[in-house]
Amino acid sequence: MAPRTTERLMNLLIALLVTPTYLPKSRIREIIEPYRGQKDAAFDRMFERDKEALRTIGITIEVRDTESYHGNESGYRIRREEFELAPIDLEPSEAAVIGVAARVWQSARLGEATAVALRKLVAAGVPIDPDALSGVEPRLAASEPAFEPIWEAVVTRTPVTFQYERADGARAQRVVEPWRLVSWHGRWYLVGYDRDRADQRLFRLSRVVGDVEPAGGPHEFDVPDDADVRAMAEALFPAPPTADAVVRVRRGRGLGLRRRATSEHPDDDGWDLIEVPYGSASELASEIASYGRDAVAIAPGDLRDEVRARLARVLEAAG
């Protein structure tokens, strides 16, 4: 479906869903921009096609005669109780899949289109039923700037290139065939084929630096049938703990570290000493460094050195 058609249908759906009364056809024509510029016959054809499109996907549109400035004419609305799904019992794994799909919808262009449509309705003087907004209110779940272009590349199977910052701070240009997007612990990851390294790779979107550019055309590659995306996604889970770190944390700070701590003892001047089990010194050093002056690695020595090196790179980058 063309983007303009999708946006027009969304605008029509929201207009009919959030108004507490039947919306006259002439009013619908005034408040939905693509309708406004059409001649009478063209508008009638477009409006009928859009209503049929909504009905085809199971949305019930009620029709009733109304009085308006143009005299008696048909009015339209969508009842919220007819629009919403009946309660569904889902297994935990099924609910998790639905949750990820919903976050993708909320994070992509439709979330912004919904907000824009609501603002247009309010500006046009259409009465809004506040209780109806909860079903269509957009929530941004993916804040990474790279999400939108990579999501588009996954859908269209378009190779992309971007600068990627590794855990140690080094950066390199990557050319990737994007296969899947995976969400884990509030972060988004790209699973794909790295052309330069001729191998499957996993990329955290928050480490994509700068713009994501096409590196080819749409439908240039196919995702292999034997691609073990599940096995690659397992790399998202932290390595099992093999050692303990001693970290000095300012009181009331470092909550992520404290949640995993196996012991905690008060230190002087508003600090605590905590022991944190870890499996990857690099990942723990990155986390400690992210707290800035509120967390200090004490032991072991290689962890302390890694945190210092990360902070030194931050200072160098800041001039």
Side-chain angles (χ1 to χ4, degrees):
M1 188 177 294
R4 288 184 60 83
T5 302
T6 302
E7 182 177 357
R8 191 177 69 242
L9 287 175
M10 283 291 297
N11 289 344
L12 178 60
L13 169 64
I14 295 169
L16 300 183
L17 181 62
V18 302
T19 180
T21 60
Y22 288 87
L23 207 57
K25 183 177 178 179
S26 59
R27 187 66 172 136
I28 295 173
R29 185 177 184 179
E30 292 173 3
I31 63 177
I32 297 180
E33 186 175 354
Y35 291 156
R36 264 202 314 269
Q38 303 296 325
K39 295 182 179 180
D40 291 347
F43 161 65
D44 287 337
R45 289 195 299 270
M46 184 181 293
F47 183 53
E48 291 302 318
R49 284 198 304 268
D50 290 348
K51 286 192 299 178
E52 185 59 30
L54 293 180
R55 287 170 174 147
T56 298
I57 61 176
I59 298 174
T60 302
I61 302 176
E62 292 188 351
V63 185
R64 176 179 293 181
D65 288 338
T66 62
E67 292 185 4
S68 69
Y69 175 80
H70 301 275
N72 289 332
E73 60 177 320
S74 296
Y76 303 85
R77 77 167 179 177
I78 298 171
R79 287 186 179 273
R80 184 181 180 188
E81 57 269 26
E82 295 290 337
F83 176 76
E84 292 179 335
L85 290 172
I88 301 175
D89 293 327
L90 297 175
E91 297 295 327
S93 58
E94 296 171 328
V97 172
I98 296 298
V100 171
R103 278 186 289 176
V104 170
W105 183 90
Q106 292 160 356
S107 302
R109 287 180 302 242
L110 283 182
E112 181 180 355
T114 303
V116 171
L118 288 173
R119 288 198 296 269
K120 287 181 178 179
L121 290 174
V122 173
V126 177
I128 301 297
D129 180 3
D131 292 336
L133 297 181
S134 61
V136 294
E137 180 184 4
R139 299 178 181 87
L140 190 64
S143 59
E144 296 90 344
F147 179 89
E148 179 65 27
I150 288 181
W151 169 257
E152 184 70 24
V154 169
V155 173
T156 60
R157 301 201 305 279
T158 301
V160 292
T161 180
F162 50 81
Q163 263 210 343
Y164 189 72
E165 184 176 274
R166 297 186 322 202
D168 61 3
R171 294 183 180 182
Q173 196 73 21
R174 302 293 185 95
V175 180
V176 179
E177 296 176 4
W179 291 351
R180 297 284 189 273
L181 278 172
V182 180
S183 176
W184 185 74
H185 279 206
R187 290 173 176 166
W188 287 95
Y189 297 81
L190 169 66
V191 177
Y193 181 80
D194 190 320
R195 288 182 171 179
D196 295 326
R197 290 153 182 80
D199 199 4
Q200 304 174 14
R201 287 290 190 271
L202 192 72
F203 304 93
R204 198 167 94 184
L205 294 198
S206 62
R207 290 182 178 163
V208 174
V209 181
D211 296 332
V212 178
E213 302 288 349
H219 308 288
E220 189 171 298
F221 65 87
D222 292 316
V223 179
D225 293 335
D226 60 350
D228 194 351
V229 176
R230 178 184 296 274
M232 295 183 67
E234 289 177 355
L236 299 177
F237 293 89
T242 57
D244 290 317
V246 179
V247 185
R248 193 168 184 254
V249 184
R250 196 184 302 274
R251 200 152 297 149
R253 305 290 184 177
L255 299 182
L257 294 169
R258 292 177 185 274
R259 279 196 294 268
R260 304 198 307 277
T262 55
S263 68
E264 183 173 329
H265 307 286
D267 200 12
D268 58 352
D269 300 327
W271 291 77
D272 296 319
L273 284 176
I274 64 175
E275 290 189 11
V276 181
Y278 69 97
S280 167
S282 176
E283 290 183 5
L284 182 57
S286 178
E287 182 177 3
I288 294 173
S290 70
Y291 289 106
R293 54 186 174 182
D294 291 327
V296 180
I298 304 299
D302 59 342
L303 174 67
R304 183 178 63 249
D305 294 342
E306 178 66 23
V307 173
R308 286 177 174 174
R310 289 176 179 275
L311 294 176
R313 286 194 294 267
V314 172
L315 287 174
E316 181 180 357

